[in-house]
Amino acid sequence: MKFGATAFLTSVSVSLLASGVSAVFSDEAYVVDWAKNPIGYLNSQNTVVARGSSNSEAIIGTFTESSVLASINGTDGTTLWRRWLDESDSSSQTHAVSSKYLAKVNNGLNELFVSASSDGRVIAWDPITGLAEWDISLEETVSAINGVAASANANTDQVFVALKSGFLLKLDALSGSRTWSSDLEIDSAPLAVIDLSDKVGVITSSGYLINVDKSDGSVHSRRKFGSATSVFSRSLDEVLSVHPVQGSSDTIVVVRSGSNAAIRVVDSNGNTASEESVVLASQSVKSTVEVTATSEVVNLLDSNIIIKFTVKGHTITRAEADINTSVNAVSENHPFPILSFPSGNTLAQTELGNLQLIDPLLEVVWSRQDGLTEITSAVFVDFLSDDSSLSEEELLFEEHADVLSAFSRRLARHWVDLKYFISHVKFPSASASNAEDDKTAEVPLTSHTKTESHDNLFGFHKLLVVANKYNHVFALDTTNQGAIVWSVTLPVPQGSEIVDLAVNSDTIYAVISTGEIFTVDVEGNVQPSSSILLPSDSVITEVVHTQNAIYAISNESVYTVVSSDSANDSPATESNDSTDEAVKSTYHTKVSDDGTTLDGYAVNFGIAEPQKTFQYTPGPNYRIVATAKRSPEDLTASIGKVLGDRSVLYKYLHRNAIAVAALNEETNTLVVTLLDSVTGRVLHTKVHKDEVSNKSPINLVFGEHWIVYSFYSKLPIEGQKIAVWDLYESEIPNQRHSQDDEKYSSFDSFAPPHVKSQSYIFNDDIITSLSVSRTRYGVTSRDIILTLSNGKVATLPKILLDARRPIGRNPTKEEQEEGLATYNSVIFLPPMNVLSHSRHLLGVNHIVSEPATLESTSLIAGFGPVDLFFTRITPSRPFDMLTVSFEKPKLIYTIMTILTVTIIVRRYALKKRIDQQWGVGEL
C-alpha cells in the first residue's frame, strides 16, 4: 500500500516536471519524426517461400545477416512482421551476428517458418501473423536445420536439426516434440542437412556425407563426400547452398573450403553425379540457385562479382563471360539473385541493399530499401542551400564593387532565384506519402524537396549521413521523412571497415581502419583524401572530434585527419613551459584490450612515438565497461547555477575530466571514477557494492558539469538504477576556486570537484544507451536521451535527476523556483517523454545529437544494427518559435484592425488639432 502511494506521488511529480519539457507537439508526431525499418541483407540459405491465404499468394520468409527474422508479402513487398532474434551480450553495445538457420515445413495444416539459432532455440512461426506455433530450447549449439518430407510420399514434413555435438534430431512439425535423436559419432561439426528420399544426408566440416534413415535415425552409410582431389574431400568451412533439382531426386550442393568453392550434383543415394570447382578471390562469398525452364543456374558472389554455373541434368557448365568485367559486378542496376519463383519472378538484392522482385521480362515489380542496417556511425551535415541568401563570395563582391555593378549582380541573382520561387509555389512540399511510395528513389538536392522554407531558416533541414559495416554511406533528408538523397560505396581495401564519420565545414571524412581517408561532399562525390601510414600491426580504432579538428587514434599513436590549427585544437592540449619554446602535445586515453587498465598517452606534434603518461587500474579483477568525456562541441552558457535565493553554485567545468566505470564480476561491485585525462589524477570515486549484474548494460554519459550512469543491481532493491553526480567547485554558494582570467593546466594543483550525488530506480525496460541533447549556444536545459530494450527512444529532463532534490520534505519556495521537487526513489517514464511514440524500434542503441539554428531545438538520430530513427526535441519548450497550431490569421486580423483604427483615429485627431488652431468650434 505504501509503495502504491509512493508510485502515485512519483508519477505526479514526474508529470509536473515533464510538463515543462516538450519532446514534440502532438500535431507534429509522425510528421517531423520518422523511422527506417529495414530487414538487412538476405542470404539464400535462410530465405524460403510459403503459401499465403491463397495458393497464388507467396509469403517470403528470411533470416537476414542482421539477425532479423521477417515475413514479406511477395505481391507488393510490404513487411508483414519482423523479429530481432539477436544473441549479442546485452551488457555490451556491440552487435555480434550469430549463426542463424531458417527452414519451411508443412505440418499437415499449413506451412510454417522454422528458425533456429546457435544457442539452441528453435521456433515455428506462422508466416502471416508472426505468432509462434511452438518454441523449444535444445540447450545445445545448432549447426544446421532443414524441413523435409517425413517419408518419400508423405504430405507432411519433419524438422531435422543437426547439433554441433554430433547429434541429429527429428522434431515433429506440428508440436516441436522430439521424435528421435541419433548420435552420428563424428568428430567434426555438421554443416548441412539434405533430403535423400527415404533418408537424410548430413554433410560434416571434415568432408563426410552421413546417410540417416528418416524413420528411426539409424546410420546407413558414412563416406568421404569426394575424391582425393575434390574440394568436398577437404575440410569444409561452410555449405553455401542446398537446392533440390526440379523434376528430379537430385540435389545441388555448393560448399566453400578456404579460397575454393565447389558445386556438386548429388543423387538420392548420396552419390556424386558431377562436380565443378572455382578459385575464389575472397573468403566472403554467397551462393544462390535460380530455376529456369530447362536448368538451374548457380550464382556465386565473390568480391562483388557474380560467377555463374548452369546445371542441366548431371552436367555443370561454367558461363563463358569474363568474370572480371563490370557486366557481372553487382550494382544498383545489376542485383544479386536470392531465389526464384515458379512464376519466373526472381527476388534479388543490389549492392546497396535494394530488395527487388523482378519479372521474367526484367521489369521491377516492387522494390524496397533494406540496406540501412548495421549502422556504425552517423553525422549531421548542412543541406546544400539554394535559397536567396547571400553567399560569402557575393557579400565580399558587393562590399568592394561599385554601386552599379553590385546592383546589376543582385538583380541577376534574383532573376535566377525566381525559378526556385516558382518551384516552391508549384511544389510547396515533398510529402511523406510520396517518400514512402518510392522507398528506393533518391531525392535530388533541389528546393522543391524541402518541406517548408522555415526548416532551412531554423536549421531543421539537414542531411543525416550514416555509414554501415558494409562500407556503404547514405545521406537522408531529415525533413522529407528520411528520403535517401544519395548513397555510395567506398572503395575500401578488403577486410577493412569504416571506423567513423566526421564533419569539417561541408566535407564528410570517412576514416578507414587501415588508415585510408575518404572525403565525401554534400552531393555524394567521393574522393580519396589521404592515407595514414600505419605500422603493420596497427589499425585505427577511434576518431576524436573537436570544434576545428579531427584526429584518428590507433592502438599506438594519434594522427591528424584535418585541423585548422593542429597545435591548438587537440583532444586535450597542454604546454610544457619548461623549455624556451612551448611544445604542444595532444593527450588521449585508451582502454586496454583486456579492459583492465585505462592508459594515457601524450603525442608531441612532429614526434612519431607516443609517450605513456599514466596507467589507471581500477583494481584486481575489475574490467572497465564504460568511459565518457564531455563533448568538445558542448557549449556552456553560464558558469554557475543560480539558486532560488539568487546566490550561485559554480559549475565544475574541467575540460580534461573523464569518467570511468569498472565492474568486478567476482564480487559484482561497480566502481565509478572521475579522472584527469592528462595526468591520470583521481578526482572522485564511488563504489557500488550492490550486486551489480554483468548481464545488463552499464551506460555512462558526461554532460556539462554532471555525470549520469545506469546499471542493474539486486541491492538494496532489485532493479535498474540511474545515478547522477552533479559537479560543483564548492558546496558553498558564491564560492569558487577558479577565476575567469586565470588559465590553469592539468599539471597544476587544482581543487577537485564537490560532488553531489543521488540515485534512482528506473521503473521501465533495460536502458541500452545514454546520451545528452545538445543545442547551439548551450542556453537550453539538457535532456538525457535513453534507448530501451523494448524498442523505445525516450527522454528525461536533467532537472528530474538533479542531485539536490530535497529528501523527506517539501521543497522551499526558493527550491520551487529552481524547479526542484521532493526526492522520490522511483522514476516512471511518462508517455509524453517517449520520442518514438508507438513505434517498436529494433536494435537502436546509439544516439547522436545536433543543434538546430534555433537555440531551443536539438536534432536527435538513433541507430544501431537494425533500425534508424530521427526526431527533434525542445528540452525547454520552443521558446524561440511559434507553434504549428498558432492562429496566425487572428494575429494578422488583429494587427490590421488596430492599424485601421489607428489610421481613422489619426485622421480625426489631425482634424481636431487643425480645428483647434483655427478656432473652429470655439465660442
Side-chain angles (χ1 to χ4, degrees):
M1 194 72 178
K2 183 178 180 181
F3 181 78
T6 302
F8 173 76
L9 292 174
T10 302
S11 300
V12 173
S13 64
V14 168
S15 300
L16 291 174
L17 287 169
S19 64
V21 181
S22 174
V24 65
F25 288 109
S26 58
D27 54 357
E28 292 180 333
Y30 301 100
V31 177
V32 301
D33 55 86
W34 48 264
K36 297 295 182 181
N37 310 117
I39 60 175
Y41 284 85
L42 278 64
N43 187 309
S44 64
Q45 274 289 80
N46 295 320
T47 303
V48 296
V49 179
R51 293 190 302 269
S53 55
S54 63
N55 290 334
S56 61
E57 183 183 11
I59 304 297
I60 303 169
T62 183
F63 207 166
T64 68
E65 295 180 8
S66 299
S67 297
V68 175
L69 178 65
S71 181
I72 301 173
N73 189 325
T75 304
D76 56 14
T78 56
T79 301
L80 299 178
W81 51 267
R82 299 183 308 158
R83 303 288 185 272
W84 191 39
L85 305 180
D86 181 52
E87 297 176 26
S88 302
D89 184 359
S90 62
S91 64
S92 172
Q93 287 187 337
T94 59
H95 165 62
V97 179
S98 61
S99 299
K100 56 193 76 68
Y101 311 93
L102 185 67
K104 180 195 71 175
V105 297
N106 188 334
N107 65 3
L109 301 176
N110 58 351
E111 293 183 331
L112 303 174
F113 296 149
V114 179
S115 67
S117 47
S118 56
D119 64 350
R121 191 177 181 192
V122 183
I123 310 174
W125 307 87
D126 185 288
I128 299 177
T129 64
L131 298 176
E133 296 288 330
W134 47 264
D135 183 351
I136 64 172
S137 178
L138 302 177
E139 298 181 352
E140 290 190 64
T141 302
V142 175
S143 291
I145 185 174
N146 202 352
V148 301
S151 60
N153 300 315
N155 294 322
T156 60
D157 296 334
Q158 298 295 319
V159 182
F160 291 89
V161 181
L163 304 178
K164 188 177 180 180
S165 60
F167 281 82
L168 180 67
L169 309 182
K170 179 181 177 182
L171 307 179
D172 180 70
L174 191 61
S175 63
S177 59
R178 186 178 305 191
T179 305
W180 52 253
S181 174
S182 176
D183 186 357
L184 303 180
E185 298 181 355
I186 55 177
D187 57 0
S188 58
L191 294 181
V193 178
I194 62 176
D195 190 7
L196 299 175
S197 187
D198 59 341
K199 303 178 184 65
V200 289
V202 179
I203 302 174
T204 70
S205 60
S206 58
Y208 278 88
L209 175 64
I210 302 174
N211 288 356
V212 181
D213 192 287
K214 289 182 179 178
S215 60
D216 58 10
S218 60
V219 176
H220 275 234
S221 64
R222 184 192 314 270
R223 56 183 146 175
K224 203 69 174 174
F225 204 20
S227 62
T229 59
S230 169
V231 172
F232 282 83
S233 66
R234 307 175 190 174
S235 177
L236 304 180
D237 295 303
E238 58 181 324
V239 174
L240 300 173
S241 291
V242 174
H243 193 278
V245 177
Q246 59 176 345
S248 170
S249 59
D250 296 342
T251 304
I252 297 174
V253 180
V254 186
V255 300
R256 180 183 68 83
S257 175
S259 58
N260 293 274
I263 300 97
R264 168 171 287 195
V265 178
V266 181
D267 64 21
S268 59
N269 294 317
N271 299 317
T272 299
S274 57
E275 179 183 333
E276 280 288 336
S277 61
V278 61
V279 178
L280 303 172
S282 69
Q283 294 187 9
S284 178
V285 62
K286 292 182 179 180
S287 172
T288 61
V289 179
E290 292 180 272
V291 179
T292 67
T294 59
S295 64
E296 276 79 18
V297 177
V298 178
N299 300 281
L300 287 175
L301 181 61
D302 179 26
S303 295
N304 214 42
I305 302 295
I306 299 177
I307 309 172
K308 289 181 176 290
F309 292 85
T310 301
V311 180
K312 190 172 183 179
H314 289 170
T315 303
I316 305 175
T317 307
R318 181 171 174 175
E320 296 294 332
D322 182 5
I323 65 173
N324 293 319
T325 61
S326 60
V327 175
N328 289 316
V330 173
S331 63
E332 291 307 284
N333 297 321
H334 188 205
F336 181 66
I338 304 297
L339 59 82
S340 56
F341 295 83
S343 62
N345 291 344
T346 301
L347 183 69
Q349 193 164 28
T350 67
E351 180 186 20
L352 290 168
N354 285 333
L355 187 64
Q356 301 173 347
L357 185 68
I358 303 172
D359 66 16
L361 300 177
L362 302 183
E363 296 291 333
V364 177
V365 179
W366 52 256
S367 180
R368 46 179 285 165
Q369 171 53 249
D370 284 304
L372 280 166
T373 55
E374 304 293 347
I375 295 175
T376 57
S377 179
V379 293
F380 287 93
V381 185
D382 288 332
F383 215 92
L384 182 65
S385 177
D386 56 13
D387 56 27
S388 59
S389 61
L390 285 174
S391 66
E392 183 179 356
E393 179 185 356
E394 290 171 327
L395 285 172
L396 291 174
F397 176 83
E398 293 192 5
E399 184 178 346
H400 297 91
D402 59 86
V403 176
L404 184 60
S405 299
F407 177 76
S408 300
R409 181 157 173 165
R410 176 71 70 92
L411 190 63
R413 185 176 62 82
H414 286 178
W415 177 258
V416 172
D417 287 344
L418 183 62
K419 66 180 181 180
Y420 297 125
F421 173 75
I422 296 173
S423 297
H424 182 70
V425 172
K426 294 175 67 177
F427 310 101
S429 67
S431 66
S433 60
N434 290 338
E436 289 299 315
D437 289 342
D438 189 1
K439 299 179 178 64
T440 63
E442 294 188 354
V443 182
L445 293 173
T446 56
S447 62
H448 71 264
T449 64
K450 301 174 185 179
T451 53
E452 296 290 346
S453 59
H454 66 252
D455 287 341
N456 284 335
L457 182 63
F458 296 161
F460 300 159
H461 194 208
K462 293 180 182 289
L463 287 178
L464 175 60
V465 181
V466 300
N468 62 16
K469 76 170 191 177
Y470 306 108
N471 298 317
H472 304 324
V473 180
F474 298 86
L476 298 93
D477 188 343
T478 59
T479 57
N480 193 19
Q481 290 293 297
I484 297 177
V485 178
W486 52 258
S487 53
V488 296
T489 301
L490 298 186
V492 305
Q494 185 176 334
S496 59
E497 60 184 10
I498 300 174
V499 177
D500 203 357
L501 298 178
V503 177
N504 185 269
S505 185
D506 291 332
T507 304
I508 306 158
Y509 291 85
V511 182
I512 312 303
S513 57
T514 48
E516 290 78 15
I517 301 170
F518 293 91
T519 60
V520 187
D521 63 22
V522 293
E523 294 181 312
N525 301 311
V526 180
Q527 293 292 334
S529 172
S530 60
S531 182
I532 299 172
L533 297 178
L534 298 173
S536 58
D537 58 344
S538 181
V539 293
I540 301 297
T541 58
E542 182 183 359
V543 177
V544 176
H545 311 243
T546 67
Q547 288 182 326
N548 299 307
I550 302 167
Y551 297 90
I553 299 177
S554 73
N555 48 357
E556 295 183 353
S557 190
V558 176
Y559 305 90
T560 302
V561 176
V562 61
S563 176
S564 59
D565 183 0
S566 60
N568 293 314
D569 188 26
S570 55
T573 303
E574 294 287 348
S575 63
N576 182 359
D577 295 325
S578 60
T579 60
D580 293 336
E581 182 178 356
V583 178
K584 296 291 184 178
S585 299
T586 178
Y587 295 83
H588 69 94
T589 56
K590 179 181 179 296
V591 179
S592 61
D593 294 338
D594 59 3
T596 57
T597 63
L598 179 74
D599 301 324
Y601 293 92
V603 177
N604 296 327
F605 291 99
I607 301 176
E609 291 296 325
Q611 297 177 347
K612 183 178 286 189
T613 57
F614 72 89
Q615 184 176 78
Y616 167 71
T617 303
N621 302 320
Y622 277 91
R623 179 175 58 90
I624 296 176
V625 292
T627 63
K629 290 190 70 174
R630 184 184 172 193
S631 170
E633 298 173 335
D634 185 26
L635 302 180
T636 297
S638 172
I639 62 172
K641 181 181 179 66
V642 180
L643 306 183
D645 60 2
R646 303 303 180 261
S647 60
V648 177
L649 276 177
Y650 287 97
K651 303 172 184 176
Y652 192 82
L653 301 172
H654 184 44
R655 276 290 182 180
N656 293 341
I658 182 172
V660 181
L663 179 66
N664 187 323
E665 297 184 0
E666 293 185 1
T667 62
N668 295 325
T669 301
L670 177 67
V671 172
V672 181
T673 306
L674 184 68
L675 299 171
D676 183 283
S677 62
V678 173
T679 63
R681 175 186 170 188
V682 175
L683 303 176
H684 189 74
T685 299
K686 186 174 182 62
V687 180
H688 295 272
K689 298 180 179 179
D690 303 333
E691 293 192 20
V692 178
S693 171
N694 62 353
K695 301 298 182 182
S696 297
I698 296 175
N699 306 287
L700 180 64
V701 66
F702 204 133
E704 181 188 27
H705 68 290
W706 43 263
I707 299 166
V708 172
Y709 54 97
S710 65
F711 58 93
Y712 191 96
S713 67
K714 294 184 178 180
L715 299 177
I717 298 175
E718 184 171 359
Q720 187 169 211
K721 316 299 192 304
I722 297 181
V724 58
W725 293 4
D726 286 338
L727 310 178
Y728 298 101
E729 291 200 24
S730 173
E731 64 176 328
I732 303 174
N734 298 327
Q735 183 183 87
R736 62 181 306 195
H737 300 293
S738 61
Q739 302 299 324
D740 292 336
D741 57 350
E742 178 186 349
K743 294 183 179 180
Y744 72 96
S745 166
S746 288
F747 297 105
D748 297 336
S749 177
F750 58 89
H754 168 69
V755 179
K756 187 74 173 176
S757 63
Q758 192 53 270
S759 61
Y760 303 85
I761 298 174
F762 183 65
N763 192 29
D764 210 291
D765 258 52
I766 299 298
I767 299 172
T768 57
S769 72
L770 293 173
S771 186
V772 59
S773 63
R774 189 162 58 89
T775 56
R776 188 173 187 182
Y777 300 109
V779 175
T780 304
S781 59
R782 272 83 168 170
D783 270 9
I784 312 297
I785 314 298
L786 311 90
T787 61
L788 306 179
S789 58
N790 59 5
K792 295 179 183 177
V793 177
T795 177
L796 287 177
K798 173 56 180 67
I799 187 65
L800 181 64
L801 301 177
D802 198 304
R804 297 177 54 252
R805 289 175 61 178
I807 300 175
R809 60 175 177 83
N810 293 326
T812 64
K813 182 179 179 180
E814 289 77 11
E815 289 172 333
Q816 289 178 351
E817 290 182 11
E818 297 179 45
L820 297 179
T822 302
Y823 169 77
N824 198 297
S825 59
V826 182
I827 290 180
F828 292 86
L829 185 64
M832 69 183 75
N833 284 31
V834 179
L835 303 178
S836 52
H837 312 306
S838 62
R839 297 184 181 97
H840 179 72
L841 302 173
L842 302 182
V844 174
N845 56 15
H846 287 80
I847 295 290
V848 292
S849 175
E850 176 77 3
T853 303
L854 292 180
E855 167 58 26
S856 65
T857 307
S858 179
L859 308 181
I860 302 296
F863 61 93
V866 186
D867 286 349
L868 176 65
F869 173 70
F870 169 84
T871 190
R872 60 182 191 235
I873 62 172
T874 52
S876 299
R877 302 191 66 84
F879 54 81
D880 48 7
M881 66 179 294
L882 298 177
T883 66
V884 176
S885 59
F886 182 81
E887 297 182 352
K888 298 177 184 178
K890 286 187 177 181
L891 176 63
I892 295 174
Y893 296 152
T894 303
I895 294 175
M896 292 179 63
T897 301
I898 294 174
L899 183 61
T900 302
V901 172
T902 302
I903 293 174
I904 296 173
V905 171
R906 182 176 180 276
R907 291 185 59 188
Y908 280 105
L910 181 62
K911 182 178 182 300
K912 182 177 181 181
R913 189 164 57 248
I914 293 174
D915 289 346
Q916 287 177 348
Q917 291 177 352
W918 283 97
V920 176
E922 295 181 359
L923 296 176

